[in-house]
Amino acid sequence: MSMSELEKAFHKFAMYGDTAATGNDMTGKNFSKMLKDCGVMDGKAVTSTDVDIVFNKVKTKGARTINFAEFQQAMKELCGKRFKGKSPEEALQAVYALMEGKEPANVGVTKTTTAGGVDRLTDTSKYTGSHKERFDESGKGKGIAGREDMTDGSGYVGAYKGAGTYDKTH
């Protein structure tokens, strides 16, 4: 396997989720993601704890990232765990084979939903109480008229039944 394929994968994961990243250094989070996406971290032979320990072991003291050389060192540490019973060289090749040409997978990324739940909540025909008065039959909002009690400006008290009858008796 050519190193360029592995380096390409390294750069893609190093830049994942970080627009300012150059792709030369990888954070622990992205290192962990790469190993998970490529199937190196399987949760049994290699756990996230193992990955974090190895990451902290190979990185420069005080640094928060690893470069490609440190990444290769980390792979040498982990390959024996992942492929027990293989020689270190074979195990390393097997790990590299898992990573060749890989890209960050967007597994578990939330997608916006247009599920029926939204339709159900925005169906004005099902509104009750004071909310239903805010929309006309077509479901279009009435604007301010649907929200506020409009004053009639007649000068009579709201509940007065005999409005407009004063002049008729005199």
Side-chain angles (χ1 to χ4, degrees):
M1 171 189 154
S2 64
M3 277 328 242
S4 64
E5 280 298 314
L6 185 63
E7 278 191 79
K8 272 186 213 152
F10 176 83
H11 289 306
K12 279 180 186 153
F13 278 94
M15 290 167 69
Y16 180 78
D18 185 359
T19 48
T22 55
N24 298 330
D25 299 309
M26 186 180 282
T27 62
K29 191 169 128 213
N30 285 9
F31 179 64
S32 178
K33 177 174 177 51
M34 180 175 189
L35 298 188
K36 194 180 277 155
D37 286 0
C38 296
V40 180
M41 186 201 310
D42 58 359
K44 290 188 245 355
V46 178
T47 65
S48 58
T49 311
D50 296 325
V51 170
D52 291 341
I53 290 168
V54 169
F55 180 81
N56 286 314
K57 199 152 134 192
V58 297
K59 74 177 174 61
T60 320
K61 199 165 176 59
R64 289 176 59 234
T65 56
I66 55 170
N67 60 28
F68 189 62
E70 291 166 331
F71 170 75
Q72 288 172 293
Q73 181 56 44
M75 291 299 90
K76 286 191 182 84
E77 300 255 349
L78 282 170
C79 66
K81 261 184 144 54
R82 180 66 172 86
F83 295 99
K84 286 188 174 75
K86 287 193 177 185
S87 73
E89 198 44 49
E90 284 177 329
L92 193 61
Q93 286 308 315
V95 164
Y96 285 166
L98 285 172
M99 295 182 169
E100 199 170 320
K102 273 284 195 176
E103 290 188 24
N106 290 337
V107 185
V109 172
T110 311
K111 294 183 176 55
T112 53
T113 175
T114 54
V118 177
D119 297 337
R120 185 172 50 80
L121 294 172
T122 55
D123 181 0
T124 56
S125 70
K126 295 198 171 33
Y127 287 4
T128 59
S130 62
H131 305 291
K132 92 175 149 211
E133 293 165 18
R134 293 185 46 199
F135 299 89
D136 58 23
E137 291 73 48
S138 69
K140 189 164 168 10
K142 289 185 187 169
I144 199 155
R147 281 195 300 279
E148 288 184 7
D149 293 331
M150 306 307 275
T151 54
D152 64 357
S154 68
Y156 286 98
V157 179
Y160 179 62
K161 298 276 189 295
T165 58
Y166 179 74
D167 292 333
K168 292 192 174 78
T169 54
H170 294 259

